[in-house]
Amino acid sequence: MQCLRQLFFWAILFPLGAQEDAVLPPSSPVVPPSPVEIPPVPFQKDNNPANPHEVSVVMPTGLNIQIKGKITPVEGNLKIFDVSGPIELKTNRGEEVFADRARLDLEAQTYTLQGNVSVFNGPVIQRGDSVVYNLKTRKLDTDHLSVSYDPIILESGSFEVSEDESGNRYFTGHNAGITTQDVEEPNYWLRADTTTVYPDNRIDFHDLKLYIGDSPVFWLPYLSQPLHKDLGYRFIPGGRTNWGMYLLNTYGIMLGGGDKTLLGSETPWILSQWHLDLRSRRGVGAGVDLFDTRVEDNPNLGWLKMYYTYDLEPQLERSGIVRGPVDPGRYRAEFQYRIPLQVRDNDPDATYALNYDLHILSDNHFLEDFDPHFYRSNAQPDNTIYLTRRTESSLLTGLARLRLNDFYRADSRYPEIIFDQIRRPVFGSSILHEGSTSFGFLEENIADPTRDTLLEPLLTLPDSDPELASLYAQVGRYEQFLIKQLRALTPGDPRYDSLYNQLTHPEFGRFHTYQEFSTQLTAADWLHLTPRMGAGYSRYFNVGGPINDSDRTIFSASMEASVKFQKDYPELRWRDGGIDGIRHTFQPYAQWSYVSTSELGDDFPAIDRLTFTTRPVPINPGRFVAIDDMENWNLLRLGVRNRLLTHRDSGTHEWLFMDTYLDCYLNDPELDRQYSNLYNDITWSPLPWLAVDLQTQFPVISSGSGYGEFTTAVRFMPTPDFEFSVSQGNLSNHPYLLDSNRVYIKAYNRFNQNWGAGLLHQWEFDDGTLELEQYTLHRNFDNWIVSSGLTHRNNRDKDEYGFMLNFTLKDFPAVSVPFKIDAE
């Protein structure tokens, strides 16, 4: 009776306590309980006085079962019992089962769980009305349960569970479907005569059909789809003006694992992606990309790519510029890899590596035609093999730069040895040393197509021809200088051949060294000084053409002075602007730099030379890589840096940075200026959804550099449904580069949960040309998004059109089924 009173007392208290807010759990979606190791709990008799109606239950030993509910005999049978829920069961094989109730049959040795049954086994989830656990074999019979393999949903009741020789489960369905849309009526299915799912491995389809709604839209006789984003089959359909209609096909598999694999390694480590591409105007192309998956620390290394196509229209161009003859057999091979070497060395910290960066192309237009994305960033790739020895304080490099592609201008080095030393104390003193020494044989060759289509017109067209300006913009500063020298010569001048050889084929051997010493001083605890002094020597020999061997010396001196002021404004708060207290740092600085070097002469065949840029060149000789273009300079850079720091996410966030500076020249090696433009470099990132980068330069004293530039990039997301970015670059009156006023606009708006639209525009306002326009429409189907788009590119001489389809699977990046479609 006392026990019943206690139960009645607690039964009253528990419902009352559940009404309190502090007791009620927060409202949230129902999720399966976390895996808990449930220890074996045997059934025991109550210690209270025996009840004549109570039954003693003897369970088989060794079972990992915990019964929390009430046990009741069924119709007086002392071998069959009903158990009230909720029911929790963890099997010896790691499965976790949850149900509303259960029946324990000690005679049949079964434990039947019933009502809202869920079986969890890693990412595999099975659901149904009942499941039977055999107490003797300790196995679950789940044949009548529906199966889902997170995040893949298998059609309810259509899959059977089997085991292989190792006891691993797999699921087989006949005329069954799978999808990733976890709703009552999915709008797409993958159906096959036979579908076999191997969890954590792959899915095999025989006679596969893709259904959108009730309509089949795609068919394959067989597909083995690995459950990894880079493996398996994916296809990319679309159309382009210079391709026609196309279908790009890729299939990824792993190589190098197991005794019967290609390379025989224990673990697969080569990701291979095989390509078969169909283009209506170009024909068929095939290739393979091999990636070393062990290379994770460097995204620019670790692969071999090979591709070949027999081009049906090799003369078909994108820009409207007529090209010369192109062989229809077109190919590309790319090898970027690093091989660590084990070398005995007195320095235990020294590491060795052999590096490859090789790009073999069939012709000068391959990248433009078949890889426009890579072409825009690296139209004329280098080919280099180099061996490195790296320590904490130095880097020794022996390299060979090869001229594997003779249709664009490139330099060769056979070989070049470079020894770089980082800044470090000399014998533990306050004097710091850094330096660089190199020795090599260099030569450069201009491409034959460039000689015929660019150099000859530049050398022969009259000064009044309007085409000269656009042709000059296609060559570098050094070439422009030599071309103007050649045009100024009278016919028959003996210097013509020498200058022309410099222009088309400069070559020489070179030894170069530069060593610099510096220290850091503080005066009166507020003025920071950094004096530097350096010296260098260059020797040029075996110079091609009539130019004599030459040597030069370099002397440099510089002094940097800065002072820093800061003030805190802890009370300043502006939540909408992302400010939680402000620290303002104000740092005026001045840097004087002086270089005196021997003149090589205007007709010396430079190879490492300056290229066109609107940014100021480095004023530290140790960072000046255009060795052959180094000239005397004497300048003073005056500037000020402003930083605004605030609190953000338990740390310090740079809310605003601005660097403003101006160069004053006593000797200007570039444009014969007295003052440079006033430069402003600004970065403003007040909020996660707003960021601004701004770079400006314009004359403020005298005529400055003679040109102006304004470059800005803004990204903001004013609402959760709208994102907008714009970048703009304006350049005017540059002595070498063409005027430009280019604006790049990108926007995306989500109208509702199902529909969104994007826009991309690139304008060149200098001549009023819309260079690129792209419009996309996006439809959300829960687990995947269908996007369609149209593009138009105005190349001025010729327009280019294209369309694209993009099926993006949203919610499980670890799984790749054939829905990924992209135009580029």
Side-chain angles (χ1 to χ4, degrees):
M1 182 63 71
Q2 182 66 23
C3 180
L4 291 176
R5 288 177 181 173
Q6 291 179 355
L7 289 175
F8 180 76
F9 174 77
W10 290 113
I12 294 176
L13 287 183
F14 281 159
L16 290 176
Q19 306 304 314
E20 297 294 327
D21 294 339
V23 176
L24 288 172
S27 167
S28 61
V30 178
V31 297
S34 302
V36 177
E37 185 68 31
I38 305 174
V41 179
F43 286 88
Q44 298 179 351
K45 292 184 179 180
D46 199 330
N47 291 328
N48 293 329
N51 189 326
H53 301 289
E54 191 175 77
V55 179
S56 175
V57 180
V58 179
M59 292 287 292
T61 60
L63 289 177
N64 193 17
I65 294 179
Q66 182 178 10
I67 298 179
K68 298 180 180 179
K70 180 181 178 182
I71 302 175
T72 306
V74 176
E75 298 178 354
N77 190 335
L78 301 183
K79 294 291 186 179
I80 304 176
F81 307 91
D82 283 336
V83 184
S84 62
I87 303 298
E88 301 177 16
L89 167 67
K90 184 171 182 179
T91 72
N92 293 4
R93 293 158 42 117
E95 299 145 315
E96 293 182 85
V97 190
F98 302 89
D100 294 338
R101 59 189 181 277
R103 173 164 290 186
L104 177 63
D105 190 336
L106 297 179
E107 212 168 49
Q109 293 286 290
T110 59
Y111 187 38
T112 305
L113 287 74
Q114 301 171 326
N116 296 317
V117 175
S118 297
V119 181
F120 296 89
N121 186 9
V124 179
I125 305 173
Q126 296 173 265
R127 290 190 173 94
D129 294 328
S130 66
V131 66
V132 178
Y133 181 63
N134 191 301
L135 302 177
K136 186 175 181 180
T137 63
R138 302 176 188 176
K139 291 184 177 181
L140 279 172
D141 181 5
T142 59
D143 284 346
H144 301 290
L145 299 182
S146 62
V147 183
S148 66
Y149 175 68
D150 186 31
I152 297 174
I153 311 300
L154 283 68
E155 191 169 18
S156 177
S158 300
F159 284 82
E160 300 175 353
V161 183
S162 305
E163 291 185 357
D164 59 18
E165 298 176 353
S166 302
N168 299 317
R169 287 189 172 191
Y170 61 92
F171 307 97
T172 304
H174 300 280
N175 296 316
I178 70 169
T179 184
T180 59
Q181 191 177 19
D182 193 6
V183 296
E184 185 174 354
E185 295 184 1
N187 50 34
Y188 78 96
W189 287 95
L190 286 171
R191 297 188 180 277
D193 283 354
T194 304
T195 303
T196 308
V197 180
Y198 299 91
D200 297 324
N201 190 352
R202 69 185 192 277
I203 305 176
D204 291 345
F205 301 93
H206 293 266
D207 194 17
L208 168 69
K209 300 180 184 69
L210 167 63
Y211 284 81
I212 303 296
D214 296 327
S215 303
V217 297
F218 185 76
W219 172 83
L220 280 175
Y222 174 78
L223 174 66
S224 180
Q225 183 66 31
L227 297 177
H228 188 279
K229 63 180 180 178
D230 294 319
L231 302 179
Y233 173 66
R234 59 187 63 187
F235 58 92
I236 304 175
R240 282 187 191 159
T241 300
N242 68 320
W243 282 5
M245 302 297 296
Y246 63 82
L247 178 64
L248 311 181
N249 302 275
T250 302
Y251 191 81
I253 58 175
M254 296 299 296
L255 302 175
D259 295 336
K260 297 181 180 181
T261 55
L262 181 64
L263 299 181
S265 174
E266 293 183 1
T267 304
W269 57 278
I270 299 178
L271 167 63
S272 66
Q273 294 183 332
W274 303 80
H275 304 279
L276 180 63
D277 303 332
L278 310 176
R279 302 177 179 90
S280 63
R281 301 193 67 177
R282 298 289 193 175
V284 180
V288 61
D289 300 340
L290 304 176
F291 299 91
D292 188 343
T293 58
R294 300 169 300 180
V295 180
E296 299 179 352
D297 58 339
N298 193 329
N300 302 312
L301 293 171
W303 61 77
L304 169 64
K305 301 179 181 180
M306 296 175 288
Y307 191 84
Y308 176 84
T309 182
Y310 189 85
D311 195 347
L312 301 179
E313 294 189 62
Q315 306 301 124
L316 184 62
E317 30 68 33
R318 303 177 63 193
S319 61
I321 300 175
V322 179
R323 61 179 59 168
V326 178
D327 191 281
R330 310 183 69 182
Y331 54 85
R332 174 190 188 182
E334 178 181 324
F335 185 47
Q336 293 185 239
Y337 200 70
R338 174 175 296 157
I339 302 175
L341 302 177
Q342 300 295 329
V343 178
R344 291 184 178 180
D345 196 298
N346 293 329
D347 187 345
D349 296 327
T351 59
Y352 291 79
L354 183 60
N355 304 267
Y356 297 89
D357 184 8
L358 303 175
H359 306 260
I360 303 175
L361 304 173
S362 60
D363 56 83
N364 197 31
H365 306 286
F366 182 92
L367 294 176
E368 178 186 5
D369 291 344
F370 297 102
D371 194 349
H373 179 74
F374 185 85
Y375 175 77
R376 284 192 290 270
S377 61
N378 193 2
Q380 299 179 347
D382 282 337
N383 290 282
T384 308
I385 302 174
Y386 54 101
L387 176 68
T388 59
R389 178 189 182 272
R390 183 186 300 270
T391 68
E392 292 184 355
S393 60
S394 67
L395 176 65
L396 177 63
T397 304
L399 67 84
R401 182 171 293 171
L402 315 175
R403 190 170 185 253
L404 301 180
N405 306 308
D406 59 3
F407 38 78
Y408 58 78
R409 185 165 194 156
D411 63 89
S412 303
R413 301 169 190 237
Y414 304 104
E416 184 174 28
I417 301 172
I418 307 167
F419 182 60
D420 294 310
Q421 298 167 281
I422 67 170
R423 187 178 302 167
R424 66 197 188 283
V426 178
F427 302 119
S429 68
S430 61
I431 304 298
L432 306 177
H433 167 262
E434 63 178 312
S436 178
T437 301
S438 64
F439 175 82
F441 296 89
L442 293 71
E443 67 176 82
E444 189 175 42
N445 285 280
I446 198 167
D448 290 339
T450 303
R451 189 194 309 264
D452 298 335
T453 61
L454 188 60
L455 289 189
E456 292 305 321
L458 281 170
L459 292 172
T460 57
L461 287 175
D463 293 337
S464 58
D465 195 305
E467 191 179 353
L468 275 178
S470 62
L471 293 175
Y472 268 123
Q474 299 179 50
V475 297
R477 174 172 173 264
Y478 176 73
E479 288 89 346
Q480 285 193 19
F481 170 79
L482 289 177
I483 290 170
K484 290 176 181 179
Q485 292 285 321
L486 287 166
R487 289 177 64 90
L489 296 178
T490 59
D493 193 304
R495 293 174 294 173
Y496 189 92
D497 291 340
S498 173
L499 289 173
Y500 189 80
N501 188 65
Q502 285 180 240
L503 180 64
T504 59
H505 185 203
E507 61 178 331
F508 50 74
R510 185 184 67 199
F511 170 81
H512 172 77
T513 184
Y514 178 80
Q515 308 297 322
E516 183 178 272
F517 296 89
S518 63
T519 190
Q520 295 180 347
L521 306 172
T522 300
D525 294 330
W526 57 271
L527 179 61
H528 304 283
L529 302 173
T530 306
R532 295 186 180 92
M533 184 171 293
Y537 171 77
S538 298
R539 172 65 180 173
Y540 295 87
F541 53 93
N542 295 339
V543 182
I547 307 300
N548 296 325
D549 294 356
S550 178
D551 57 4
R552 67 191 308 194
T553 56
I554 303 169
F555 172 77
S556 73
S558 68
M559 172 70 77
E560 182 174 357
S562 66
V563 59
K564 184 182 294 187
F565 305 95
Q566 67 182 34
K567 187 173 182 180
D568 294 338
Y569 301 89
E571 72 286 352
L572 186 58
R573 299 283 192 279
W574 182 25
R575 182 175 181 180
D576 292 341
I579 294 179
D580 181 14
I582 280 289
R583 168 173 288 181
H584 178 207
T585 301
F586 179 73
Q587 184 183 16
Y589 65 90
Q591 183 175 357
W592 169 69
S593 179
Y594 170 81
V595 170
S596 175
T597 182
S598 310
E599 295 289 342
L600 288 177
D602 293 337
D603 58 350
F604 190 85
I607 293 180
D608 286 333
R609 54 185 179 269
L610 287 173
T611 56
F612 290 139
T613 178
T614 60
R615 304 303 299 166
V617 298
I619 60 176
N620 183 346
R623 304 287 185 267
F624 196 90
V625 296
I627 298 172
D628 305 329
D629 249 358
M630 183 176 290
E631 299 183 24
N632 297 330
W633 74 63
N634 190 358
L635 64 89
L636 177 66
R637 176 168 294 176
L638 302 174
V640 59
R641 299 185 184 97
N642 280 278
R643 281 187 172 89
L644 295 180
L645 307 176
T646 188
H647 296 291
R648 180 78 55 84
D649 298 329
S650 302
T652 301
H653 172 72
E654 189 171 72
W655 193 82
L656 174 70
F657 171 79
M658 181 169 62
D659 189 8
T660 303
Y661 53 97
L662 170 79
D663 290 338
C664 307
Y665 293 97
L666 299 176
N667 185 1
D668 178 18
E670 288 189 272
L671 301 174
D672 196 22
R673 297 163 291 186
Q674 290 184 322
Y675 301 95
S676 73
N677 288 336
L678 179 68
Y679 298 96
N680 283 284
D681 299 334
I682 301 173
T683 301
W684 182 45
S685 53
L687 299 163
W689 50 266
L690 175 63
V692 178
D693 289 314
L694 178 64
Q695 291 182 341
T696 68
Q697 57 171 306
F698 46 84
V700 291
I701 303 178
S702 184
S703 59
S705 298
Y707 62 90
E709 182 185 27
F710 182 89
T711 303
T712 185
V714 179
R715 183 193 67 83
F716 72 100
M717 192 173 181
T719 71
D721 297 323
F722 180 68
E723 183 175 2
F724 181 81
S725 63
V726 58
S727 59
Q728 187 256 357
N730 183 291
L731 179 65
S732 59
N733 300 320
H734 195 278
Y736 301 112
L737 301 175
L738 294 177
D739 289 354
S740 176
N741 185 12
R742 181 167 293 168
V743 176
Y744 184 89
I745 300 172
K746 185 177 182 180
Y748 176 79
N749 186 69
R750 187 179 69 170
F751 301 108
N752 52 47
Q753 291 184 350
N754 295 326
W755 290 96
L759 174 145
L760 176 64
H761 275 189
Q762 180 176 303
W763 289 87
E764 177 52 76
F765 285 102
D766 189 68
D767 59 2
T769 301
L770 177 57
E771 296 179 326
L772 174 66
E773 54 182 324
Q774 178 176 296
Y775 308 95
T776 56
L777 184 65
H778 310 270
R779 175 67 164 92
N780 180 17
F781 291 95
D782 293 329
N783 283 80
W784 51 296
I785 295 175
V786 178
S787 302
S788 60
L790 297 173
T791 61
H792 168 228
R793 184 180 294 274
N794 185 344
N795 296 315
R796 291 171 175 78
D797 291 328
K798 184 177 182 179
D799 287 346
E800 183 181 359
Y801 298 91
F803 73 89
M804 61 181 179
L805 292 174
N806 188 341
F807 289 67
T808 304
L809 213 52
K810 294 191 306 182
D811 294 333
F812 56 110
V815 180
S816 172
V817 294
F819 298 141
K820 177 67 176 177
I821 304 174
D822 196 352
E824 285 192 17

